[in-house]
Amino acid sequence: MNDRKTNRREFLETMGAVGAASALMGSGTALGGFLADKPERLAIDGGTPVRSSGLGSGSYGPLFYDEVEEQELLDVLRSKSPFRRPGGKVALFEQEYAAHIGAKYAIGVTSGTTALYAAMAALEVGPGDEVILPAWNWYADYDVIVLSGALPVFAEVDDSFDIDPGDIERCITPRTKAIIAAHLEGCPCDMDPILEIARKHKLRVLEDCAQCCGGKYKGKYVGTIGDIGINSFQLSKTITSGEGGAVTTNDPVLYERAFRFHDVGVVGRSFNESIGGGVLAGFASCNFRMNEFTGAVLRGQLKKLEIICSALRANAKKVRAGIADLPGLKLRKSGDIEGDLGMRIFLDMGTRERRDQFLRAIRAEGISANGPGGSAILPTDGRVANKATIHPDWPSFRSPQGQAIQYGAECCPRTIDVLGRHGGVTIGPKYTEEDVADVVKAIRKVYLAMHKA
Ligand SMILES: *Cc1c(COP(=O)(O)O)cnc(C)c1O
């Protein structure tokens, strides 16, 4: 046993510890103990960086634009019919998207934000209602609750950066109407306990899938698990038309309400096509209709969705395997690691100080690295903390509950802690084997040097 250990150490030393680690990457060999013996000089301390030019991934969708999207767009141009119509690109995209994820209905809209607003209208969220959302989330989730006249109530996130199911019941009152489960940075929420709480208290669940298009929880696509789901096709999402969004649901009443809200409240031609005359009366609404150019690009992008997701997952899996043996390693939790998109790999570095040190050192190695991103710690944002609205008599904060509620850092200490101690690397769907090996190399090199220190 001892002999073998010595031999392996000699082998590693002759190869260069990090070279050996990447050569053996994916084999699951436990190398941590040996590598920790001889850390390499970090680039940040004057050593040679793993890569001379920076490795990161831009937006995924446009990397996959090709003649498929071109043809779809040309069809619309040549038809001289860019407005939503029965049998057009938007209607086809809605059918194909719904079929792809296994939802009964999908509605194409102008953005993720307007999809959320339509979902609020579908759920009949209004003055006097409260909606629970995670303290780490995109602004739109907070904004549409306020724009509906309702009161946002923040729950903490857990080590998945998604809403902590264990913190939801603390936030429930007799006025609570819905819970927003946002699947953030590619990571599906743990939906079972969330659904159980919702059933127990008769609450609706809205899934915000804007950062997790193509993600799954226990084999089901996100956006099909709660009462209603939304997605965004803005540039930074899994697939993109620059801007765009969708509402998904299996509930015909929620569908009709969302559809009416997004199309001037009326039962238009496109609506007749999908659900007949409808069963509800119209109500004050908006226009968030998707145009045919957007629908065309999204039809093309939908064909790439699984290619992008499986490439991300495969690359993330290789990185996780390549660092699995690191001593004391703690990765970001996931509601379902198999369904997780793997767009980032986050390490829990224990403290914000060590996290920042880790990120600086990884970047010096030529690998893009960041803390959690794409969302904000909403309660600490000025306009949230100050409950600023477009009119002083806005109903959200005029009620006794609205006046009493306190935002600011005090309402989400655990969220601030969780986000501060995690640092991660970006995974690209077009990373080569060498790129993936370099990511592993950089993490190992920096982590082991810091573990020594
Ligand atoms: C991007 C995003 C939205 C809003 O989508 P837009 O298309 O930018 O309006 C909503 N929620 C989350 C979690 C997002 O990341």
Side-chain angles (χ1 to χ4, degrees), residues 110-114 116 137-138 140-141 182-184 208 210-211 230-234 236-237 243-245 374-375:
T110 48
S111 72
T113 302
T114 56
L116 280 166
N137 206 339
W138 184 240
D141 296 76
H183 310 287
L184 299 174
D208 179 341
Q211 297 179 16
I230 72 96
N231 224 313
S232 166
F233 307 113
Q234 184 267 346
S236 63
K237 318 298 181 173
E243 299 277 11
S375 293

XYZ file of all heavy atoms in Angstrom, residues 110-114 116 137-138 140-141 182-184 208 210-211 230-234 236-237 243-245 374-375, ligand 1:
218
model
N -43.742 38.890 -25.305
C -42.617 39.743 -25.689
C -41.380 39.586 -24.809
O -40.286 39.968 -25.216
C -43.044 41.220 -25.661
O -43.720 41.468 -24.412
C -43.985 41.529 -26.814
N -41.538 39.084 -23.588
C -40.379 38.939 -22.687
C -40.733 38.033 -21.524
O -41.906 37.692 -21.313
C -39.949 40.318 -22.145
O -40.899 40.798 -21.211
N -39.721 37.713 -20.731
C -39.962 36.958 -19.506
C -40.741 37.797 -18.509
O -41.576 37.281 -17.764
N -40.462 39.091 -18.508
C -41.151 40.000 -17.583
C -42.642 40.058 -17.893
O -43.482 39.947 -16.991
C -40.539 41.417 -17.680
O -39.152 41.330 -17.386
C -41.208 42.370 -16.705
N -42.977 40.194 -19.189
C -44.402 40.263 -19.536
C -45.063 38.894 -19.358
O -46.251 38.811 -19.053
C -44.627 40.820 -20.955
O -43.894 40.031 -21.904
C -44.173 42.270 -21.053
N -44.310 36.933 -16.865
C -44.591 36.929 -15.424
C -45.827 37.766 -15.105
O -46.664 37.381 -14.280
C -43.389 37.504 -14.655
C -42.206 36.567 -14.407
C -40.988 37.365 -13.949
C -42.557 35.513 -13.361
N -33.226 36.745 -6.780
C -34.134 36.554 -7.904
C -33.966 37.730 -8.844
O -33.387 38.751 -8.466
C -35.574 36.528 -7.375
C -36.526 35.736 -8.258
O -36.269 35.524 -9.425
N -37.619 35.307 -7.710
N -34.474 37.609 -10.045
C -34.423 38.727 -10.982
C -35.479 39.759 -10.586
O -36.507 39.414 -10.022
C -34.614 38.234 -12.420
C -34.483 39.329 -13.433
C -35.429 39.749 -14.332
C -33.331 40.155 -13.652
N -34.929 40.787 -15.080
C -33.655 41.063 -14.681
C -32.069 40.229 -13.056
C -32.758 42.029 -15.144
C -31.174 41.183 -13.519
C -31.520 42.071 -14.547
N -37.722 41.345 -12.145
C -39.056 41.225 -12.727
C -40.024 40.483 -11.809
O -41.211 40.816 -11.758
C -38.973 40.513 -14.077
N -39.522 39.501 -11.078
C -40.404 38.708 -10.218
C -41.008 39.582 -9.114
O -42.192 39.472 -8.784
C -39.642 37.522 -9.607
C -39.181 36.558 -10.682
O -38.190 36.878 -11.376
O -39.824 35.504 -10.856
N -38.344 29.949 -8.563
C -37.485 30.357 -9.683
C -36.308 29.393 -9.764
O -35.584 29.219 -8.790
C -37.008 31.794 -9.484
N -36.146 28.758 -10.915
C -35.054 27.801 -11.126
C -33.855 28.610 -11.615
O -33.739 28.899 -12.804
C -35.459 26.756 -12.164
C -36.801 26.115 -11.893
N -36.992 25.209 -10.879
C -38.011 26.269 -12.497
C -38.261 24.810 -10.884
N -38.899 25.442 -11.852
N -32.964 28.983 -10.697
C -31.950 29.985 -11.041
C -30.613 29.391 -11.475
O -30.184 28.360 -10.977
C -31.759 30.932 -9.860
C -33.039 31.706 -9.483
C -32.827 32.514 -8.219
C -33.512 32.586 -10.629
N -40.672 30.111 -12.399
C -39.926 31.016 -13.265
C -38.745 30.222 -13.821
O -37.796 29.906 -13.107
C -39.445 32.236 -12.465
C -38.639 33.201 -13.335
O -38.153 32.781 -14.402
O -38.485 34.362 -12.921
N -36.856 31.162 -16.453
C -36.077 32.024 -17.353
C -34.596 31.639 -17.405
O -33.951 31.814 -18.425
C -36.230 33.484 -16.938
N -34.066 31.115 -16.298
C -32.651 30.747 -16.282
C -32.464 29.239 -16.363
O -31.391 28.720 -16.033
C -31.981 31.293 -15.007
C -31.992 32.806 -14.933
C -31.347 33.345 -13.669
O -30.622 32.651 -12.963
N -31.602 34.614 -13.375
N -43.235 30.293 -16.545
C -42.867 31.319 -17.526
C -41.458 31.040 -18.008
O -40.665 30.377 -17.342
C -42.942 32.768 -16.965
C -41.805 33.065 -15.965
C -44.304 33.065 -16.360
C -40.592 33.762 -16.577
N -41.154 31.566 -19.196
C -39.787 31.499 -19.679
C -39.404 32.804 -20.352
O -40.265 33.621 -20.669
C -39.573 30.317 -20.616
C -38.270 29.620 -20.283
O -37.248 30.273 -20.107
N -38.307 28.308 -20.160
N -38.116 32.987 -20.529
C -37.588 34.162 -21.221
C -36.662 33.682 -22.328
O -35.938 32.695 -22.154
C -36.800 35.036 -20.248
O -36.019 35.985 -20.976
N -36.697 34.389 -23.451
C -35.786 34.086 -24.563
C -34.909 35.288 -24.850
O -34.500 35.530 -25.979
C -36.594 33.632 -25.784
C -37.543 32.510 -25.470
C -38.908 32.698 -25.513
C -37.056 31.271 -25.067
C -39.787 31.670 -25.187
C -37.919 30.234 -24.735
C -39.288 30.433 -24.801
N -34.628 36.044 -23.793
C -33.709 37.178 -23.877
C -32.312 36.616 -24.148
O -32.049 35.423 -23.969
C -33.798 37.955 -22.539
C -32.995 39.232 -22.445
C -31.632 38.997 -21.844
O -31.384 37.948 -21.268
N -30.755 39.964 -21.994
N -29.452 36.353 -22.766
C -28.617 35.582 -21.834
C -29.221 34.243 -21.430
O -28.667 33.544 -20.584
C -28.335 36.421 -20.587
O -29.542 36.695 -19.919
N -30.351 33.844 -22.026
C -31.019 32.597 -21.621
C -30.569 31.418 -22.497
O -29.793 31.595 -23.424
C -32.531 32.791 -21.676
C -33.008 34.131 -21.132
C -32.695 34.384 -19.649
C -33.243 35.747 -19.236
N -33.155 36.020 -17.820
N -35.020 39.071 -27.500
C -36.050 39.257 -26.485
C -37.158 38.266 -26.797
O -37.283 37.805 -27.935
C -36.643 40.674 -26.524
C -35.662 41.811 -26.266
C -35.390 42.091 -24.795
O -35.793 41.275 -23.928
O -34.752 43.123 -24.521
N -37.977 37.986 -25.821
C -39.104 37.072 -26.040
C -39.406 36.324 -24.754
O -38.586 36.297 -23.833
N -40.586 35.744 -24.681
C -40.954 34.991 -23.483
C -42.096 34.054 -23.763
O -42.654 34.043 -24.875
N -26.798 36.907 -12.510
C -28.060 36.881 -13.236
C -29.266 37.237 -12.394
O -30.390 37.258 -12.898
N -29.054 37.485 -11.109
C -30.136 37.892 -10.218
C -29.586 38.941 -9.266
O -28.400 39.273 -9.317
C -30.682 36.699 -9.415
O -31.320 35.780 -10.272
C -34.300 37.106 -17.388
C -35.216 36.788 -16.275
C -36.534 37.259 -16.223
C -37.077 38.272 -17.169
O -36.950 37.964 -18.492
P -36.851 39.149 -19.592
O -37.084 38.425 -20.860
O -35.499 39.744 -19.468
O -37.933 40.131 -19.287
C -37.348 36.809 -15.205
N -36.896 35.978 -14.269
C -35.633 35.522 -14.266
C -35.219 34.558 -13.199
C -34.734 35.921 -15.248
O -33.479 35.487 -15.232
